[in-house]
Structure formats: structure tokens, C-alpha cells
Amino acid sequence: MDELLKNCMLCPRNCGIDRTGGRRGVCGAGEHVKAARAALHFWEEPCISGDRGSGTVFFSYCGLQCVYCQNRAISRGQAGKEISTERLAEIFLELEHKGAHNINLVTPTHYIPQIAAAVEQAKKQGLLLPMVYNTSGYEKAESIALLRGVIDIYLTDFKYMDEGLSGRYSGAPDYAKWAKKALKEMVEQAGEAVFDGDGMMQKGVIVRHLLLPGCLSDSKNVVRYLFETYGNRIFYSLMNQYTPVSGNDAYPELRRRVTDEEYEALIDFAVDLGVENGFMQQGGTAEESFIPPFDNEGI
């Protein structure tokens, strides 16, 4: 584990810094795991949250830094506290004891070595739940390969195809290049979806795409690529919940919500392509709060 952190190349930023020596790269993460909440969460896709909730661990910091991020308190690292790998394993077991359907790791990329070690420890102590890797999609296939046998379900974003949009909004003009390779590895690992008798996913890949205002054309390109590449081997989650955030004066085009017409056009496009395994959101989701308090509950 230390070797991966001494020359950190876990994400596409390829900082190469020594996180064991107190330095921090683009993501902001150091040597130890930092997390801001571990609790039952009910706002994921139905086959993830179910009726008992997903046992969700929200990790601090993020290597992507989207300008419209609604979880800035954790993605920028202001919220959360540092914990040991042993404590992380305990948290997994505590969430299982609370009745969670699965263990859901949110923004976990920069803690892959610690997570793999914690999962191994927890399984030795009786953890039986599926592990969910909940990510922005800005991943290296080589890092995802380290999770073979650790992760059961990949819940990944595929945010952009256009390098101009990914560069402007996430500082990552190379987003699609990396996301394509990483998704290929995820699908090869998880395979086609498997559900239990209650309809809860036990294994598989769900790809999320958030429609941004004025970006319908790129969203169609994302869905087209996904369907032409994977068809209905994966599940699609097309989201309309974009909510403008304060402080984005430099991005006037992001000051509005997505219109019903834009979202309906994306759904119609997906259906016409042949997408059958999918989730869509009902009207009004942009007005609801999907953001829990990052108050270190369960940490």
C-alpha cells in the first residue's frame, strides 16, 4: 500500500507525489483516509438503496473538481476527519449491522489501497455485503484493475464526450479518454448484472449521466457511445437533477436548471437507440436535497 502512495499515480492527474511524506496532490488527499459521513443513504438508484438504504461512506477530496459540484464541502476537503484502515473496516461492519443492502464508497479513487485493505479485513470478520464503487468516472484502468475481487458493483459517472466541456467544467479535457478505458475494465470485472430475489443488484455496472443545461448534444453523444459499445449489458441512469451552485459567475450558462424539454429529448433519444435497462428521474428532483449533512456521522 505504501508503495502506491509514495509515488501516487492512482488517478489520471498522475501527480507522482509522496503522500506518505505529507505532500498532497491535485485531489488534496494525504496518507490517511479522510471521510465525512458513514450512514444509510436512500437517494441512489432503487436497486442500490432499496428499502433499507445503502451503507454509504462519503470520502473527502476529489481529483476532478467540477465547477458545479454540489458536494464541495467534501470534494474540497473542508469536511471530514482522518481515520485508520482498521477503523474503515469497522465502519463497513457497522453499516452491515444497521441493515444496509451494500457498502457504497463515494469518491473513493484516491483511497484505493486503503479501501482494498479495509475490505479484506472486514471480510475476514464476516462482511458479506456487495461493495459499490461510486465514482466520477475519471479513473485509470490500471487503478480499477487493483479492485478485481474487491468491488462487486460499479456505479460510475460518464460525464462528457466533448473535451471542450470537460476541460471547461472539470479541468480535464482528457476525461472521455480515461473514462472509456476505465469503464471497459469495470464491465470486464463485474459482467452482466445480477440481482437477488428482492431486486437488489449484487453485481454489475450502472453508468450515470447528468444532463447539464445547454449540453444536450454532448449528452446524446455519451449515450450513443455507451449503447454502441455496451448495449444493454450495463444499466443507464440518466439524471435531470442539475442544480446551479453559488459562486459560478464565470459560467453564466450554468445558472439555470435543465428544462423538461431537454431532459425528455435525452430520454426519447435513449429509448429510440434501444436502451432498455435504465433509470430516469421524475420532475422536481432539482428542487429536492440529495445532499446529506457532512457532519462525520458514523465516522
PDB file of all heavy atoms in Angstrom, residues 122-142:
ATOM      1  N   ALA A 122     -12.406  -6.522   6.748  1.00  0.00           N
ATOM      2  CA  ALA A 122     -13.820  -6.663   7.105  1.00  0.00           C
ATOM      3  C   ALA A 122     -14.376  -8.024   6.694  1.00  0.00           C
ATOM      4  O   ALA A 122     -15.169  -8.630   7.425  1.00  0.00           O
ATOM      5  CB  ALA A 122     -14.633  -5.538   6.474  1.00  0.00           C
ATOM      6  N   LYS A 123     -13.955  -8.525   5.549  1.00  0.00           N
ATOM      7  CA  LYS A 123     -14.432  -9.831   5.099  1.00  0.00           C
ATOM      8  C   LYS A 123     -13.941 -10.934   6.026  1.00  0.00           C
ATOM      9  O   LYS A 123     -14.654 -11.908   6.285  1.00  0.00           O
ATOM     10  CB  LYS A 123     -13.993 -10.086   3.660  1.00  0.00           C
ATOM     11  CG  LYS A 123     -14.786  -9.290   2.626  1.00  0.00           C
ATOM     12  CD  LYS A 123     -14.398  -9.654   1.206  1.00  0.00           C
ATOM     13  CE  LYS A 123     -15.278  -8.933   0.194  1.00  0.00           C
ATOM     14  NZ  LYS A 123     -14.916  -9.263  -1.213  1.00  0.00           N
ATOM     15  N   LYS A 124     -12.739 -10.787   6.536  1.00  0.00           N
ATOM     16  CA  LYS A 124     -12.224 -11.765   7.493  1.00  0.00           C
ATOM     17  C   LYS A 124     -13.046 -11.775   8.775  1.00  0.00           C
ATOM     18  O   LYS A 124     -13.093 -12.781   9.483  1.00  0.00           O
ATOM     19  CB  LYS A 124     -10.760 -11.465   7.813  1.00  0.00           C
ATOM     20  CG  LYS A 124      -9.797 -11.789   6.682  1.00  0.00           C
ATOM     21  CD  LYS A 124      -8.368 -11.457   7.064  1.00  0.00           C
ATOM     22  CE  LYS A 124      -7.402 -11.797   5.927  1.00  0.00           C
ATOM     23  NZ  LYS A 124      -5.997 -11.438   6.269  1.00  0.00           N
ATOM     24  N   GLN A 125     -13.701 -10.638   9.048  1.00  0.00           N
ATOM     25  CA  GLN A 125     -14.531 -10.523  10.241  1.00  0.00           C
ATOM     26  C   GLN A 125     -16.010 -10.767   9.947  1.00  0.00           C
ATOM     27  O   GLN A 125     -16.854 -10.508  10.801  1.00  0.00           O
ATOM     28  CB  GLN A 125     -14.327  -9.140  10.875  1.00  0.00           C
ATOM     29  CG  GLN A 125     -12.906  -8.885  11.344  1.00  0.00           C
ATOM     30  CD  GLN A 125     -12.718  -7.477  11.882  1.00  0.00           C
ATOM     31  OE1 GLN A 125     -13.386  -7.072  12.848  1.00  0.00           O
ATOM     32  NE2 GLN A 125     -11.819  -6.716  11.273  1.00  0.00           N
ATOM     33  N   GLY A 126     -16.309 -11.209   8.728  1.00  0.00           N
ATOM     34  CA  GLY A 126     -17.670 -11.631   8.430  1.00  0.00           C
ATOM     35  C   GLY A 126     -18.471 -10.759   7.491  1.00  0.00           C
ATOM     36  O   GLY A 126     -19.654 -11.023   7.261  1.00  0.00           O
ATOM     37  N   LEU A 127     -17.895  -9.709   6.915  1.00  0.00           N
ATOM     38  CA  LEU A 127     -18.638  -8.848   5.978  1.00  0.00           C
ATOM     39  C   LEU A 127     -19.087  -9.643   4.765  1.00  0.00           C
ATOM     40  O   LEU A 127     -18.280 -10.309   4.110  1.00  0.00           O
ATOM     41  CB  LEU A 127     -17.767  -7.673   5.534  1.00  0.00           C
ATOM     42  CG  LEU A 127     -18.429  -6.679   4.567  1.00  0.00           C
ATOM     43  CD1 LEU A 127     -19.514  -5.871   5.289  1.00  0.00           C
ATOM     44  CD2 LEU A 127     -17.397  -5.730   3.956  1.00  0.00           C
ATOM     45  N   LEU A 128     -20.376  -9.559   4.451  1.00  0.00           N
ATOM     46  CA  LEU A 128     -20.942 -10.316   3.330  1.00  0.00           C
ATOM     47  C   LEU A 128     -21.578  -9.436   2.262  1.00  0.00           C
ATOM     48  O   LEU A 128     -21.992  -9.928   1.219  1.00  0.00           O
ATOM     49  CB  LEU A 128     -21.993 -11.305   3.853  1.00  0.00           C
ATOM     50  CG  LEU A 128     -21.487 -12.401   4.791  1.00  0.00           C
ATOM     51  CD1 LEU A 128     -22.651 -13.201   5.343  1.00  0.00           C
ATOM     52  CD2 LEU A 128     -20.489 -13.314   4.085  1.00  0.00           C
ATOM     53  N   LEU A 129     -21.688  -8.136   2.503  1.00  0.00           N
ATOM     54  CA  LEU A 129     -22.423  -7.255   1.596  1.00  0.00           C
ATOM     55  C   LEU A 129     -21.658  -6.978   0.305  1.00  0.00           C
ATOM     56  O   LEU A 129     -20.427  -6.941   0.296  1.00  0.00           O
ATOM     57  CB  LEU A 129     -22.720  -5.920   2.289  1.00  0.00           C
ATOM     58  CG  LEU A 129     -23.605  -5.955   3.526  1.00  0.00           C
ATOM     59  CD1 LEU A 129     -23.789  -4.547   4.070  1.00  0.00           C
ATOM     60  CD2 LEU A 129     -24.956  -6.590   3.212  1.00  0.00           C
ATOM     61  N   PRO A 130     -22.384  -6.741  -0.803  1.00  0.00           N
ATOM     62  CA  PRO A 130     -21.733  -6.286  -2.034  1.00  0.00           C
ATOM     63  C   PRO A 130     -21.072  -4.929  -1.809  1.00  0.00           C
ATOM     64  O   PRO A 130     -21.591  -4.071  -1.086  1.00  0.00           O
ATOM     65  CB  PRO A 130     -22.887  -6.168  -3.031  1.00  0.00           C
ATOM     66  CG  PRO A 130     -24.004  -6.968  -2.443  1.00  0.00           C
ATOM     67  CD  PRO A 130     -23.842  -6.895  -0.963  1.00  0.00           C
ATOM     68  N   MET A 131     -19.933  -4.723  -2.464  1.00  0.00           N
ATOM     69  CA  MET A 131     -19.209  -3.462  -2.388  1.00  0.00           C
ATOM     70  C   MET A 131     -19.491  -2.654  -3.655  1.00  0.00           C
ATOM     71  O   MET A 131     -19.362  -3.165  -4.775  1.00  0.00           O
ATOM     72  CB  MET A 131     -17.705  -3.704  -2.265  1.00  0.00           C
ATOM     73  CG  MET A 131     -17.290  -4.512  -1.039  1.00  0.00           C
ATOM     74  SD  MET A 131     -17.695  -3.713   0.548  1.00  0.00           S
ATOM     75  CE  MET A 131     -16.785  -2.170   0.415  1.00  0.00           C
ATOM     76  N   VAL A 132     -19.880  -1.387  -3.466  1.00  0.00           N
ATOM     77  CA  VAL A 132     -20.235  -0.491  -4.571  1.00  0.00           C
ATOM     78  C   VAL A 132     -19.167   0.595  -4.698  1.00  0.00           C
ATOM     79  O   VAL A 132     -18.861   1.285  -3.718  1.00  0.00           O
ATOM     80  CB  VAL A 132     -21.608   0.165  -4.335  1.00  0.00           C
ATOM     81  CG1 VAL A 132     -21.979   1.070  -5.516  1.00  0.00           C
ATOM     82  CG2 VAL A 132     -22.685  -0.888  -4.102  1.00  0.00           C
ATOM     83  N   TYR A 133     -18.629   0.759  -5.879  1.00  0.00           N
ATOM     84  CA  TYR A 133     -17.611   1.781  -6.159  1.00  0.00           C
ATOM     85  C   TYR A 133     -18.295   2.915  -6.905  1.00  0.00           C
ATOM     86  O   TYR A 133     -18.653   2.798  -8.074  1.00  0.00           O
ATOM     87  CB  TYR A 133     -16.495   1.169  -7.004  1.00  0.00           C
ATOM     88  CG  TYR A 133     -15.257   2.007  -7.149  1.00  0.00           C
ATOM     89  CD1 TYR A 133     -14.241   1.954  -6.199  1.00  0.00           C
ATOM     90  CD2 TYR A 133     -15.067   2.816  -8.265  1.00  0.00           C
ATOM     91  CE1 TYR A 133     -13.072   2.697  -6.353  1.00  0.00           C
ATOM     92  CE2 TYR A 133     -13.912   3.564  -8.428  1.00  0.00           C
ATOM     93  CZ  TYR A 133     -12.909   3.495  -7.466  1.00  0.00           C
ATOM     94  OH  TYR A 133     -11.755   4.240  -7.622  1.00  0.00           O
ATOM     95  N   ASN A 134     -18.498   4.041  -6.220  1.00  0.00           N
ATOM     96  CA  ASN A 134     -19.319   5.156  -6.691  1.00  0.00           C
ATOM     97  C   ASN A 134     -18.386   6.307  -7.095  1.00  0.00           C
ATOM     98  O   ASN A 134     -17.849   7.009  -6.236  1.00  0.00           O
ATOM     99  CB  ASN A 134     -20.258   5.557  -5.549  1.00  0.00           C
ATOM    100  CG  ASN A 134     -21.310   6.569  -5.957  1.00  0.00           C
ATOM    101  OD1 ASN A 134     -21.127   7.334  -6.894  1.00  0.00           O
ATOM    102  ND2 ASN A 134     -22.418   6.577  -5.232  1.00  0.00           N
ATOM    103  N   THR A 135     -18.207   6.521  -8.389  1.00  0.00           N
ATOM    104  CA  THR A 135     -17.114   7.359  -8.872  1.00  0.00           C
ATOM    105  C   THR A 135     -17.534   8.341  -9.960  1.00  0.00           C
ATOM    106  O   THR A 135     -18.533   8.140 -10.654  1.00  0.00           O
ATOM    107  CB  THR A 135     -15.977   6.478  -9.413  1.00  0.00           C
ATOM    108  OG1 THR A 135     -14.999   7.283 -10.083  1.00  0.00           O
ATOM    109  CG2 THR A 135     -16.497   5.467 -10.419  1.00  0.00           C
ATOM    110  N   SER A 136     -16.712   9.356 -10.134  1.00  0.00           N
ATOM    111  CA  SER A 136     -16.916  10.354 -11.192  1.00  0.00           C
ATOM    112  C   SER A 136     -16.624   9.796 -12.571  1.00  0.00           C
ATOM    113  O   SER A 136     -16.942  10.424 -13.579  1.00  0.00           O
ATOM    114  CB  SER A 136     -16.005  11.561 -10.946  1.00  0.00           C
ATOM    115  OG  SER A 136     -14.638  11.203 -11.177  1.00  0.00           O
ATOM    116  N   GLY A 137     -15.965   8.650 -12.639  1.00  0.00           N
ATOM    117  CA  GLY A 137     -15.588   8.073 -13.923  1.00  0.00           C
ATOM    118  C   GLY A 137     -14.211   8.485 -14.403  1.00  0.00           C
ATOM    119  O   GLY A 137     -13.680   7.907 -15.356  1.00  0.00           O
ATOM    120  N   TYR A 138     -13.612   9.490 -13.745  1.00  0.00           N
ATOM    121  CA  TYR A 138     -12.273   9.943 -14.127  1.00  0.00           C
ATOM    122  C   TYR A 138     -11.270   9.039 -13.425  1.00  0.00           C
ATOM    123  O   TYR A 138     -10.760   9.345 -12.352  1.00  0.00           O
ATOM    124  CB  TYR A 138     -12.090  11.403 -13.737  1.00  0.00           C
ATOM    125  CG  TYR A 138     -10.894  12.090 -14.359  1.00  0.00           C
ATOM    126  CD1 TYR A 138     -10.656  12.025 -15.729  1.00  0.00           C
ATOM    127  CD2 TYR A 138     -10.022  12.843 -13.581  1.00  0.00           C
ATOM    128  CE1 TYR A 138      -9.579  12.683 -16.296  1.00  0.00           C
ATOM    129  CE2 TYR A 138      -8.944  13.505 -14.137  1.00  0.00           C
ATOM    130  CZ  TYR A 138      -8.714  13.419 -15.502  1.00  0.00           C
ATOM    131  OH  TYR A 138      -7.646  14.070 -16.065  1.00  0.00           O
ATOM    132  N   GLU A 139     -11.026   7.903 -14.031  1.00  0.00           N
ATOM    133  CA  GLU A 139     -10.262   6.820 -13.424  1.00  0.00           C
ATOM    134  C   GLU A 139      -9.225   6.288 -14.405  1.00  0.00           C
ATOM    135  O   GLU A 139      -9.361   6.433 -15.618  1.00  0.00           O
ATOM    136  CB  GLU A 139     -11.200   5.661 -13.048  1.00  0.00           C
ATOM    137  CG  GLU A 139     -12.322   5.997 -12.105  1.00  0.00           C
ATOM    138  CD  GLU A 139     -11.889   5.940 -10.652  1.00  0.00           C
ATOM    139  OE1 GLU A 139     -10.699   5.635 -10.391  1.00  0.00           O
ATOM    140  OE2 GLU A 139     -12.725   6.198  -9.777  1.00  0.00           O
ATOM    141  N   LYS A 140      -8.221   5.625 -13.861  1.00  0.00           N
ATOM    142  CA  LYS A 140      -7.269   4.881 -14.674  1.00  0.00           C
ATOM    143  C   LYS A 140      -7.650   3.405 -14.636  1.00  0.00           C
ATOM    144  O   LYS A 140      -7.907   2.852 -13.568  1.00  0.00           O
ATOM    145  CB  LYS A 140      -5.850   5.063 -14.137  1.00  0.00           C
ATOM    146  CG  LYS A 140      -5.342   6.487 -14.260  1.00  0.00           C
ATOM    147  CD  LYS A 140      -3.998   6.669 -13.598  1.00  0.00           C
ATOM    148  CE  LYS A 140      -2.885   5.952 -14.332  1.00  0.00           C
ATOM    149  NZ  LYS A 140      -1.550   6.286 -13.750  1.00  0.00           N
ATOM    150  N   ALA A 141      -7.662   2.770 -15.783  1.00  0.00           N
ATOM    151  CA  ALA A 141      -7.998   1.355 -15.832  1.00  0.00           C
ATOM    152  C   ALA A 141      -7.051   0.538 -14.964  1.00  0.00           C
ATOM    153  O   ALA A 141      -7.448  -0.452 -14.339  1.00  0.00           O
ATOM    154  CB  ALA A 141      -7.959   0.856 -17.280  1.00  0.00           C
ATOM    155  N   GLU A 142      -5.791   0.961 -14.889  1.00  0.00           N
ATOM    156  CA  GLU A 142      -4.808   0.243 -14.076  1.00  0.00           C
ATOM    157  C   GLU A 142      -5.172   0.284 -12.595  1.00  0.00           C
ATOM    158  O   GLU A 142      -4.947  -0.680 -11.861  1.00  0.00           O
ATOM    159  CB  GLU A 142      -3.412   0.839 -14.273  1.00  0.00           C
ATOM    160  CG  GLU A 142      -2.887   0.759 -15.696  1.00  0.00           C
ATOM    161  CD  GLU A 142      -3.260   1.966 -16.542  1.00  0.00           C
ATOM    162  OE1 GLU A 142      -4.241   2.665 -16.211  1.00  0.00           O
ATOM    163  OE2 GLU A 142      -2.560   2.211 -17.551  1.00  0.00           O
TER     164      GLU A 142
END
